[in-house]
């Protein structure tokens, strides 16, 4: 269950609203957020896929729309010449289920693309770029950009723009 907004202390002039409680059995554990140009939140399940939230007007939770994005890295080969990621088979996800779809721990929307830091899928760990090339509001181009070694909860994480806004930095934990 989510923490009640009244139980959260915020600075004067700020307000907390509960928009959605993630059902862990269906949508997993959300660990990263990014904002797209339309003001929607993009989020990732640590051991699963990507979701998009269309937010309701301020002061209302009614109308929060949740959409699982149809993106699969397993169908995309890493860039030519990229070495396989180090490490074993990776985590299985929940219980004995198959490896995660995406397993992202970091998201950044920049340069008309969603950059995704994959941390939980062995042989796919690293930075990926997702783009909507046909303007149908779905990511139809998935490209592997850069491998990272290591993974998991102490592996590669956040993606942020550099101070000049021309590059992307990423944070790496002690398992990277």
């Amino acid at each position: 269950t989510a923490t009640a907004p009244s139980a959260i202390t915020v600075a004067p002039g700020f307000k907390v609203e509960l928009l959605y409680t993630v059902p862990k059995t269906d949508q997993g554990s959300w660990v990263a957020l990014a904002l797209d140009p339309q003001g929607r939140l993009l989020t990732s399940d640590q051991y699963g896929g990507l979701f998009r939230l269309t937010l309701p007007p301020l002061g209302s939770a009614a109308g929060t729309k949740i959409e699982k994005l149809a993106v699969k890295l397993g169908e995309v080969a890493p860039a030519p010449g990229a070495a396989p990621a180090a490490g074993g088979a990776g985590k299985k996800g929940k219980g004995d289920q198959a490896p995660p779809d995406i397993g992202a721990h970091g998201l950044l929307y920049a340069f008309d693309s969603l950059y995704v830091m994959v941390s939980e899928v062995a042989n796919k760990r690293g930075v990926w770029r997702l783009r909507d090339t046909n303007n149908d509001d779905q990511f139809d181009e998935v490209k592997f950009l850069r491998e990272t070694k290591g993974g998991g909860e102490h592996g590669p994480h956040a993606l942020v723009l550099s101070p000049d806004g021309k590059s992307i930095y990423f944070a790496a934990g002690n398992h990277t």
Side-chain angles (χ1 to χ4, degrees), residues 8-16:
I8 299 172
T9 304
V10 295
F14 288 87
K15 180 181 173 186
V16 175

Side-chain angles (χ1 to χ4, degrees), residues 109-130:
Y109 202 99
F111 313 119
D112 296 320
S113 301
L114 177 63
Y115 293 86
V116 179
M117 177 59 78
V118 174
S119 187
E120 296 292 344
V121 181
N123 300 323
K124 304 288 184 185
R125 292 178 179 142
V127 181
W128 292 74
R129 182 178 70 203
L130 283 55

Side-chain angles (χ1 to χ4, degrees), residues 10 23 30 58 62 65 71 88 103 110 124 131 139-140 152 176:
V10 295
W30 291 3
L58 289 174
K65 179 183 170 190
V71 176
K124 304 288 184 185
R131 292 183 24 189
F139 297 111
D140 56 88
T176 304

Side-chain angles (χ1 to χ4, degrees), residues 17 19 29 52 64 69 74 81 86 92-93 96 98 104 108 132 156 168:
E17 296 180 30
L19 298 175
S29 176
R52 179 167 45 209
T64 300
L69 299 177
K92 283 283 198 181
D96 291 328
L108 171 68
D132 175 10
I168 297 174

Side-chain angles (χ1 to χ4, degrees), residues 46-47 87-101 103 105 119-122 125 151-155 175:
Q46 173 176 356
Y47 299 116
K91 294 187 179 179
K92 283 283 198 181
K94 301 171 191 109
D96 291 328
Q97 295 177 2
D101 295 339
H105 285 229
S119 187
E120 296 292 344
V121 181
R125 292 178 179 142
E153 292 180 5
H154 292 261
H175 288 178

Side-chain angles (χ1 to χ4, degrees), residues 20-81:
Y20 185 69
T21 300
V22 179
K24 189 170 186 171
T25 55
D26 297 328
Q27 297 174 357
S29 176
W30 291 3
V31 297
L33 291 173
L35 194 63
D36 75 7
Q38 290 78 30
R40 300 171 297 188
L41 290 175
L42 301 167
T43 186
S44 59
D45 170 10
Q46 173 176 356
Y47 299 116
L50 301 175
F51 295 86
R52 179 167 45 209
L53 288 77
T54 302
L55 303 174
L58 289 174
S60 170
T64 300
K65 179 183 170 190
I66 312 301
E67 170 188 7
K68 183 165 186 189
L69 299 177
V71 176
K72 302 260 187 215
L73 298 181
E75 300 167 5
V76 178

